[in-house]
């Protein structure tokens, strides 16, 4: 796990070096801001269209092989881009094609590497492993952004792509030496809501089977709803806080840099705290998301930069812990043979809200301003989570609880809920989560 974390630190630094200079490169080639946005959309599109199939590949192939091949392929794309830039042969058509290829490979690489990292520790330590990964990502982002400026200043734009290519090869070289923790043989999932799909409906191991499994899992659907709301209305701080700081607070671009630093520090502190989690639940994710939404609403009403900085730090901490808890549920709730496809479904869904978020927030800011957008968005998150929790509580009628505890010995007239309701509730019980993990 230490080797894997070190390799991911190098890889994240290389990725952020490339991302930092990528928009600049597109502008240099095309001179168009619209082309810059198009290149990002082209790279994200495979995640929307092929995420399900990428997850199916991860479930069918050995994870070490899949992760090693995908990392090597991403390194090849980075080296190809670096060579084309160095020799002045890169044009907009080739650039878009390379962006699409990168996005396509990432649909397999993302879930493969995430699950491989979990395989390196016992099940009880998976939350800590995910938290370490979050911390590594944050540190790599800071390091890569700083190194990008140095590399471009002294070696040119191509050097950032070459460095990223080397970082991928480093990860690919480490993977063969990793020793996954031995896990017990897979047993059938005991949850009624997740029983195998009848023969003839979906071919075993197919992407459609993964989507059907996800939609029958109430806790995963609830997690997607909470995360989607937070992603659309609560996490685009590069847009909302930038407008707030440079607009109503009249603090300037340098002050927004300070706010971004505090956000990064809070995120790393939250990752350290999240490493102590052992059995996070969707209820915990929802409570933390609601708390983050309320903190965001208060931050939007900050009268000064100093007050904003005070609010931003706990907001970042809470959201970092919430992210880690949600990722843990996502990666441990499904049975082992379904986790790649579940992550594939999640990648497609996250691409949707990643594309919808900025335009919706931009429209909302046109109507309500930066303060109103932060306040309304935060209250919307907290209100939706609260309404969902209330609805779930009301569904837990006394008769349902008795029926779950006493089973078939109770007369049928005492059962006041349907089979579907009982199955949905069973999916939220802690002992069921542990059995699935």
């Amino acid at each position: 796990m230490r080797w894997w974390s070190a390799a991911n630190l190098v890889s994240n630094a290389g990725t952020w070096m490339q991302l930092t200079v990528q928009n600049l490169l597109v502008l240099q080639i095309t001179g168009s801001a619209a082309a810059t946005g198009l290149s990002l959309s082209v790279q994200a599109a495979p995640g929307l269209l092929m995420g399900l199939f990428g997850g199916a590949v991860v479930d069918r192939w050995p994870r070490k092989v899949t992760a090693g091949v995908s990392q090597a392929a991403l390194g090849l794309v980075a080296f190809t881009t670096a060579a084309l830039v160095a020799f002045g042969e890169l044009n907009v058509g080739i650039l878009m094609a390379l962006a699409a290829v990168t996005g396509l490979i990432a649909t397999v690489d993302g879930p493969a590497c995430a699950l491989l990292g979990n395989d390196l520790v016992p099940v009880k330590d998976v939350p800590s492993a995910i938290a370490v990964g979050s911390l590594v990502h944050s540190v790599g982002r800071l390091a890569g952004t700083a190194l990008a400026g140095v590399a471009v200043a002294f070696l040119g734009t191509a050097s950032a792509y070459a460095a990223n290519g080397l970082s991928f090869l480093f990860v690919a070289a480490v993977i063969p030496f990793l020793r996954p923790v031995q896990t017990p043989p897979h047993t059938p999932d005991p949850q009624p809501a997740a029983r195998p799909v009848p023969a003839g409906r979906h071919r075993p191991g197919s992407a459609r089977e993964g989507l059907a499994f996800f939609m029958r899992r109430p806790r995963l659907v609830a997690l997607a709803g909470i995360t989607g709301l937070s992603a659309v209305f609560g996490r685009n701080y590069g847009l909302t806080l930038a407008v707030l700081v440079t607009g109503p607070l009249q603090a300037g671009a340098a002050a927004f840099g300070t706010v971004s630093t505090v956000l990064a520090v809070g995120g790393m502190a939250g990752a350290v705290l999240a490493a102590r989690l052992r059995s996070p639940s969707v209820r915990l994710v929802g409570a933390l998301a609601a708390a983050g939404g309320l903190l965001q609403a208060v931050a939007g009403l900050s009268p000064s930069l100093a007050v904003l900085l005070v609010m931003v730090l706990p907001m970042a901490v809470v959201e970092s812990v919430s992210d880690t808890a949600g990722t843990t549920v996502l990666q441990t709730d499904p049975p082992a043979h379904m986790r790649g496809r579940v992550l594939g479904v999640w990648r497609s869904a996250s691409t949707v809200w990643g594309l919808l978020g900025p335009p919706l927030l931009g429209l909302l800011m046109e109507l309500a301003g930066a303060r109103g957008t932060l306040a309304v968005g935060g209250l919307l998150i907290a209100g939706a989570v609260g309404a969902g929790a209330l609805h779930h509580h009301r569904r837990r009628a006394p008769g349902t609880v008795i029926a779950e505890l006493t089973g078939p010995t109770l007369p049928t007239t005492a059962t006041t809920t349907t089979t579907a309701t009982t199955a949905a509730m069973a999916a939220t019980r802690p002992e069921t989560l542990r059995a699935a993990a």
Side-chain angles (χ1 to χ4, degrees), residues 3 15 58 67 71 77 83 92 99 116 155 204 244 250 269 291 301 303 311 343 345 400:
W3 272 103
T15 297
V58 173
Q71 286 284 307
V77 173
V92 65
L116 177 58
L155 300 174
L244 175 64
Q250 299 180 345
L301 303 177
M311 297 305 304
L343 291 184
V345 174
T400 302

Side-chain angles (χ1 to χ4, degrees), residues 173-320:
V174 167
I175 287 175
F177 299 98
L178 300 177
R179 298 178 180 178
V181 174
Q182 295 296 320
T183 55
H186 174 67
T187 56
D189 187 4
Q191 298 189 36
R195 59 183 180 273
V197 178
R201 287 186 58 187
H202 302 308
R203 182 165 54 88
S206 69
R208 290 179 62 192
E209 184 187 15
L211 178 60
F213 176 91
F214 190 99
M215 296 307 297
R216 293 196 312 273
R217 201 78 149 191
R219 60 189 297 109
L220 294 182
V221 174
L223 181 63
I226 294 169
T227 306
L229 278 172
S230 298
V232 172
F233 295 104
R235 304 299 174 87
N236 289 283
Y237 297 133
L239 177 60
T240 53
L241 289 183
V243 176
L244 175 64
V245 171
T246 58
L249 295 182
Q250 299 180 345
F256 177 65
T258 303
V259 172
S260 298
T261 302
V262 173
L263 281 170
V265 171
M268 289 186 284
V272 173
L273 291 175
R276 302 181 65 86
L277 293 174
R278 282 297 176 263
S279 299
S281 63
V282 176
R283 180 179 298 180
L284 175 63
V285 176
L288 291 171
L294 293 176
L295 288 170
Q296 173 186 311
V298 176
L301 303 177
S302 299
S304 66
L305 179 63
V307 175
L308 178 63
L309 292 174
V310 170
M311 297 305 304
V312 160
L313 183 61
M315 184 171 70
V317 171
V318 167
E319 291 184 350
S320 178

Side-chain angles (χ1 to χ4, degrees), residues 29-42:
I29 295 174
T30 65
S32 169
T36 304
L38 180 60
S39 69
L40 296 176
S41 297
V42 168

